[in-house]
């Protein structure tokens, strides 16, 4: 089959690889009908995630048609249409029983390696480095889906792929980012990053009853999208001092909760600041450039919540611990426990509360993945989200 | 070493080394090219290929030094690693000129300095530890299943090779005795007989090896596995303790450890698979790792593509 493979920093290539096979009783094979490129893939593309190997099949946002199931899968049949959540979770361990699916204790065959870097291992993830399992991803024609009896959600009506594909990751991720804020009436929520994840975090904050939503980015087309689809107010951080602006907008209080939907590769408008962390990152004295996170902590009102859904992989420098501690802030984080949100969010899509397809800016063929990565990375042609079809 | 051994100081030093290993290992894994450039060896494809492996080795050290219950022991594996780095750099120094040679020289000096610290840590630890050359190790895991079930699965010794991947087989030979056949480092096998010394249903299984029966180096070991209720309905805590003289004694073990095949990691991995089987009914496999988890295999792990 054809698959999009990581072939080194800043390069991906379409390669011919073997078709996947059932390896375990609870596996299924899915023929992929739609797959997307995620901001998390950019961290791999840019070479910031350890333990990638040349030839790794990328992609963790995908859906398709079941073509084969192992003897341990009784709830799915060939022909079923499914969306596959990106964390691989067994459904049996303590973490899964507590709906902490991205922390499944049994799905990462390389847990020992992850433990060395992170202390304990999170769940395995499709197409996301060997530290997280070495699972081939879904930017391909077919994928093997482990624990298929608990992960994938069946789509039984005729909702088009574009409306349900993002259940695999970014819609639940944005939703979880907003949920972690513990929103109460009157709350102002600030979201760093107007990428697809930030868009859904903002939209979800609205759904969960936020009074005001403020989105921060520097790309005009993304900020416009947040204004038009979520009724958010926006700040262009390249033009405005974000901390001062937020203080003004909230009459000195600060936002009640701040969502970091940017992650480890944040950009900084001041070349000196950017250069400082960029250099440390290049020398691997830190692995992150945590500008958005630093700013979110500094901006948050006393006693508020900082919700981190942007991805970090290693060590951050100049972390404002003093602000966090002295001002009673709560830091909440996580890879999305996607499985938990599939059903409720599918219901919201079905009854028209949200149509996630608004973030799609480009539709391309899987063959065009190398070009698509380049476009998404450099945000050319008002790129926000690219969907690929095999 | 005549100075009284200060366990605290040695541990502190060992942990500091652990943090250093963590930083260095992460750097070598994520940015082998940048590290190679700094050390002036970025022009050698062989060394470039080696750097991620060296990084992985550093992470193994970091884990041992930071989390192991006897972190000082890991200092020896660092000394061995330093020797390897010095050898690589020594070769590099020989055939380089100009600014590149200066960079290699600087890197060599830095590694030599680190070697001195590692050696000091290791020697201080040994001064107090004394010891027979036997290894003691322990590992534990929490399994989300009732205690009786965990005990039963383990007590059925034929099940062991399914989660202890270095075991080829365990055969019941009657009278509480079993014959164990295992893979040993460098593609040989060892086999030995063991007897059950204690068997408390749902609580404890203890064993001891009897004598060497096969070809290859001998293994003498004793061990136990304990099962207790985890608090608040969290299932069963499974704790393994073992004492053994590995093939080739201490040197052999240190060498094996250097390549990730250190026994503690192996037991921890075994327990992880035990948990997987009990909780999910299968051992987690990815296509890059179709045989399930095995730390030592990482360097040889294939790309994450479907297996043909
Ligand atoms: N937690 C999870 O489960 C999960 C799931 C999916 C994605 N993610 C992560 O979410 C993050 C965003 O993903 P995405 O797909 O939206 O990526 P993206 O790259 O499209 O969006 C990131 C946005 O952040 C903006 N940005 C950069 N620096 C900024 C700064 N200093 N202040 C404000 N905005 C800044 C960029 O301009 C860009 O628009 C990534 O880190 C991704 O890995 C996490
Ligand atoms: Zn994603
Ligand atoms: Zn689980």
């Amino acid at each position: 089959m054809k698959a999009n493979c990581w072939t080194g920093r800043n390069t991906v290539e379409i390669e011919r690889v073997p078709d996947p096979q059932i390896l375990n009783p609870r596996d299924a094979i899915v023929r992929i009908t739609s797959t997307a490129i995620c901001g998390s893939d950019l961290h791999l593309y840019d070479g910031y995630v350890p333990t990638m190997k040349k030839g790794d099949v990328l992609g963790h946002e995908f859906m398709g048609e079941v073509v084969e199931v192992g003897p341990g899968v009784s709830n799915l049949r060939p022909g079923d249409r499914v969306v596959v959540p990106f964390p691989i979770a067994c459904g049996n361990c303590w973490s899964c029983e507590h709906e902490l699916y991205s922390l499944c204790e049994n799905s990462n065959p390389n847990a020992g390696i992850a433990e060395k870097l992170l202390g304990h291992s999170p769940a395995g993830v499709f197409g996301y480095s060997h530290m997280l399992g070495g699972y081939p991803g879904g930017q391909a024609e077919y994928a093997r889906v482990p624990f298929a009896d608990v992960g994938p959600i069946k789509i039984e009506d005729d909702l088009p792929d574009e409306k349900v594909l993002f259940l695999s990751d970014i819609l639940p991720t944005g939703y979880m980012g907003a949920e972690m804020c513990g929103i109460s009436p009157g709350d102002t929520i600030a979201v760093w990053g107007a990428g697809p994840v930030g868009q859904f975090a903002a939209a979800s904050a609205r759904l969960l009853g936020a009074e005001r939503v403020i989105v921060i980015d520097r790309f005009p087309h993304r900020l416009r999208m947040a204004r038009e689809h979520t009724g958010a107010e926006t700040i262009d951080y390249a033009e405005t001092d974000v901390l001062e602006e937020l203080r003004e907008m909230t009459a000195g209080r600060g936002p009640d909760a701040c969502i970091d939907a940017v992650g480890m590769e944040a950009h900084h408008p001041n070349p000196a600041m950017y250069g400082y962390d960029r250099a440390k990152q290049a020398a691997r004295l830190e692995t992150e450039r945590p500008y958005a996170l630093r700013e979110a902590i500094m901006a948050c009102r006393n006693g508020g919540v900082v919700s981190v859904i942007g991805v970090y992989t290693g060590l951050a420098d100049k972390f404002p611990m003093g602000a966090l501690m002295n001002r009673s802030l709560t830091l909440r984080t996580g890879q999305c426990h996607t499985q938990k949100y599939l059903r409720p969010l599918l219901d919201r899509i079905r009854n028209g509360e949200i149509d996630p397809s608004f973030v799609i800016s480009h539709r391309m063929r899987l063959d065009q993945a190398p070009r698509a990565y380049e476009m998404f990375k450099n945000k050319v042609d008002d790129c926000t989200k690219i969907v690929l079809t095999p | 070493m005549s100075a009284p051994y200060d366990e605290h100081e040695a541990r502190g030093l060992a942990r500091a080394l652990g943090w250093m290993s963590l930083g260095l290992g992460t750097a070598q894994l994520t940015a082998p090219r940048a590290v190679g450039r700094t050390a002036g060896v970025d022009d050698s494809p062989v060394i470039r290929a080696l750097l991620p492996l060296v990084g992985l080795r550093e992470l193994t050290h970091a884990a041992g030094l930071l989390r192991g219950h006897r972190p000082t022991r890991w200092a020896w594996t660092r000394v061995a690693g330093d020797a390897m780095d010095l050898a690589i750099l020594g070769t590099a120094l020989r055939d380089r000129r100009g600014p590149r040679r200066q960079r290699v020289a600087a890197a060599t000096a830095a590694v030599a300095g680190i070697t001195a610290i590692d050696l000091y840590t290791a020697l201080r630890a040994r001064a107090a530890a004394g010891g027979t050359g036997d290894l003691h190790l322990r590992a534990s895991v929490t399994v989300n299943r009732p205690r009786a079930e965990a005990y039963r699965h383990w007590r059925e010794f034929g099940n062991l090779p399914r989660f202890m991947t270095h075991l080829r087989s365990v055969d019941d030979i009657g009278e509480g005795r079993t014959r164990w056949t295992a893979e040993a480092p460098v593609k040989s096998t060892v086999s030995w007989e063991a007897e059950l010394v204690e068997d408390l249903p749902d609580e404890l299984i203890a064993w001891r090896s009897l004598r060497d029966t096969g070809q290859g180096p001998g293994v003498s070991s004793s061990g136990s596995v304990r099962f207790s209720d985890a608090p608040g309905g969290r299932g069963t805590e499974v704790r393994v303790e073992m004492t053994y003289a590995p093939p080739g004694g201490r040197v052999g073990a240190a060498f094996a450890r250097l390549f990730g095949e250190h026994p503690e990691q192996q037991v921890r991995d075994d327990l992880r698979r035990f948990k997987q089987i009990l909780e999910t009914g299968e051992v987690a496999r990815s296509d890059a790792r179709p045989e399930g988890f095995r730390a030592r295999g990482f360097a040889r792990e294939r790309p994450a593509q479907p297996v043909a």
Side-chain angles (χ1 to χ4, degrees):
Chain A
M1 67 164 182
K2 278 188 291 191
N4 182 40
C5 301
W6 188 85
T7 48
R9 186 171 292 200
N10 284 320
T11 54
V12 295
E13 280 167 40
I14 299 292
E15 287 179 11
R16 288 241 157 236
V17 304
D19 287 351
Q21 294 171 0
I22 302 270
L23 296 181
N24 268 340
R26 294 171 65 185
D27 291 353
I29 305 292
V30 171
R31 184 181 63 79
I32 293 161
T33 53
S34 294
T35 176
I37 309 176
C38 177
S40 301
D41 292 325
L42 290 182
H43 303 320
L44 305 173
Y45 187 63
D46 297 338
Y48 287 113
V49 179
T51 71
M52 288 295 289
K53 276 186 195 276
K54 289 198 165 121
D56 287 350
V57 179
L58 295 176
H60 57 268
E61 301 182 358
F62 60 97
M63 63 177 296
E65 183 192 318
V66 174
V67 291
E68 196 185 343
V69 294
V73 181
S74 53
N75 59 323
L76 293 180
R77 250 180 291 169
D80 284 347
R81 206 170 148 232
V82 291
V83 178
V84 180
F86 78 90
I88 300 171
C90 76
N92 308 110
C93 68
W94 186 92
S95 300
C96 284
E97 281 182 355
H98 289 77
E99 298 191 312
L100 299 167
Y101 295 101
S102 74
L103 302 174
C104 174
E105 298 157 33
N106 291 317
S107 62
N108 183 2
N110 282 332
I113 293 162
E115 276 177 359
K116 282 170 191 164
L117 215 56
L118 305 175
H120 295 272
S121 173
V125 171
F126 293 101
Y128 216 76
S129 85
H130 289 250
M131 181 172 95
L132 297 186
Y135 288 99
Q139 286 161 10
E141 291 180 295
Y142 295 90
R144 164 184 169 249
V145 178
F147 302 124
D149 53 331
V150 295
I153 184 168
K154 241 194 276 189
I155 308 294
E156 279 161 310
D157 37 29
D158 52 6
L159 288 167
D161 278 20
E162 291 191 352
K163 283 198 178 189
V164 290
L165 171 61
F166 301 138
L167 284 170
S168 59
D169 176 353
I170 51 173
L171 177 60
T173 297
Y175 188 88
M176 181 169 119
E179 194 184 61
M180 289 194 293
C181 295
I183 297 172
S184 26
D187 276 1
T188 299
I189 309 299
V191 181
W192 275 255
V197 172
Q199 299 287 343
F200 289 141
S204 304
R206 195 51 104 211
L207 278 178
L208 292 171
E211 178 83 23
R212 293 173 78 185
V213 179
I214 304 170
V215 174
I216 303 144
D217 204 308
R218 78 175 191 286
F219 290 105
H221 67 280
R222 293 185 166 200
L223 292 174
R224 192 181 336 116
M225 185 182 273
R227 285 193 299 272
E228 283 172 7
H229 284 275
T230 306
E233 299 159 73
T234 58
I235 302 177
D236 177 346
Y237 70 83
E239 300 286 318
T240 320
D241 180 326
V242 175
L243 289 180
E244 206 176 288
E245 187 67 15
L246 286 172
R247 185 182 285 268
E248 272 314 301
M249 291 171 92
T250 56
R253 302 187 305 276
D256 298 281
C258 295
I259 301 176
D260 170 358
V262 176
M264 61 192 285
E265 290 187 72
H267 164 265
H268 197 285
N270 179 333
M273 268 308 279
Y274 183 73
Y276 171 80
D277 284 280
R278 189 69 190 76
K280 292 197 81 163
Q281 200 176 30
R284 266 47 186 187
L285 294 172
E286 62 178 338
T287 45
E288 336 285 18
R289 298 194 302 260
Y291 307 118
L293 180 57
R294 287 179 193 142
E295 209 165 68
I297 293 173
M298 296 307 282
C300 195
R301 78 147 156 82
N302 283 357
V305 177
V306 177
S307 163
V308 183
I309 46 176
V311 162
Y312 294 85
T313 57
L315 311 169
D317 195 11
K318 309 269 183 307
F319 183 78
M321 197 57 213
L324 196 69
M325 187 275 158
N326 288 286
R327 302 201 293 107
S328 302
L329 300 181
T330 300
L331 188 62
R332 300 198 62 190
T333 65
Q335 294 282 358
C336 184
H337 306 297
T338 317
Q339 282 82 339
K340 169 179 172 186
Y341 300 101
L342 291 175
R343 182 63 54 194
L345 287 176
L346 177 60
D347 290 343
R348 284 189 192 258
I349 294 170
R350 205 182 273 133
N351 59 36
E353 279 174 79
I354 185 163
D355 175 0
S357 60
F358 78 85
V359 297
I360 302 175
S361 59
H362 293 75
R363 298 162 177 87
M364 297 166 79
R365 308 278 312 163
L366 177 63
D367 296 316
Q368 296 171 290
R371 170 90 189 106
Y373 267 75
E374 220 179 281
M375 288 176 59
F376 183 49
K377 174 177 170 149
N378 299 311
K379 323 283 184 242
V380 298
D381 189 27
D382 287 1
C383 185
T384 302
K385 185 78 179 177
I386 303 180
V387 174
L388 303 171
T389 42
Chain B
M1 287 251 141
S2 54
Y5 172 67
D6 181 345
E7 157 102 20
H8 219 72
E9 184 204 319
R11 264 177 186 257
L13 210 50
R15 287 196 200 279
L17 289 175
W19 283 108
M20 200 161 87
S21 284
L22 186 65
L24 203 60
T26 311
Q28 283 158 336
L29 267 179
T30 55
R33 240 176 279 163
V35 174
R37 251 192 324 271
T38 313
V41 293
D42 51 322
D43 54 341
S44 156
V46 177
I47 298 182
R48 272 208 310 270
L50 270 176
L51 273 173
L53 296 182
V54 173
L56 203 63
R57 183 198 75 204
E58 286 301 322
L59 289 183
T60 306
H61 292 160
L65 288 160
L66 292 172
R67 312 188 329 142
H69 58 290
R70 284 175 54 199
T72 45
R73 209 176 65 206
W74 288 89
W76 281 113
T77 69
R78 273 191 57 108
V79 173
D82 295 339
M84 182 173 142
D85 295 350
L86 282 173
I88 296 175
L89 287 167
T91 321
L93 201 55
R94 256 207 328 267
D95 32 75
R96 275 175 185 73
R97 298 282 165 269
R100 200 177 278 288
R101 185 183 166 88
Q102 277 163 19
R103 267 183 286 157
V104 177
T108 310
V111 174
I114 292 169
T115 309
I117 301 173
D118 288 341
L119 204 58
Y120 174 72
T121 311
L123 285 172
R124 296 223 51 156
R126 192 171 74 176
T132 59
D134 281 357
L135 284 174
H136 304 274
L137 59 89
R138 58 178 190 181
S140 55
V141 75
T142 301
V143 178
N144 192 18
R145 302 298 307 163
R147 187 148 57 95
E149 187 183 331
Y151 164 86
R152 237 182 295 123
H153 194 81
W154 198 296
R155 181 65 183 77
E156 195 61 60
F157 293 126
N159 285 334
L160 298 188
R162 211 179 146 203
F163 62 92
M164 299 183 171
T165 49
H166 62 291
L167 283 183
R168 288 270 173 86
S169 59
V170 179
D171 302 305
D172 201 323
I173 50 176
E175 293 169 15
R177 295 187 175 192
T178 38
R179 179 177 296 111
W180 302 53
T181 305
E183 285 167 28
V186 209
K187 291 201 166 113
S188 56
T189 63
V190 288
S191 134
W192 66 96
E193 283 176 17
E195 71 176 348
L196 209 53
V197 289
E198 220 176 336
D199 183 12
L200 302 176
D202 305 345
E203 267 179 45
L204 171 77
I205 303 169
W207 64 90
R208 174 171 72 204
S209 66
L210 289 176
R211 62 172 187 280
D212 210 352
T213 55
Q215 314 91 340
V219 170
S220 103
S221 77
S222 60
S224 65
V225 52
R226 272 168 212 283
F227 305 88
S228 54
D229 290 328
R234 285 168 174 76
T236 305
E237 296 180 352
V238 181
R239 291 195 169 75
V240 170
E241 280 190 57
M242 283 171 73
T243 299
Y244 77 112
R250 232 180 217 290
V251 179
F255 197 73
R257 233 180 273 139
L258 186 64
F259 294 99
E261 202 168 14
H262 53 96
E264 213 143 298
Q265 179 76 54
Q266 204 161 59
V267 177
R268 213 174 300 134
D269 297 345
D270 288 345
L271 287 178
R272 212 189 308 274
R273 276 184 295 265
F274 178 71
K275 172 183 168 75
Q276 287 170 355
I277 290 171
L278 280 177
E279 291 184 359
T280 76
E282 54 190 46
V283 171
R285 286 169 223 283
S286 67
D287 293 72
R289 189 167 281 294
E291 78 282 17
F293 183 65
R294 206 161 208 191
R296 69 169 177 190
F298 176 71
R300 278 180 267 127
E301 191 163 316
R302 70 185 96 213
Q305 292 188 350
V307 282

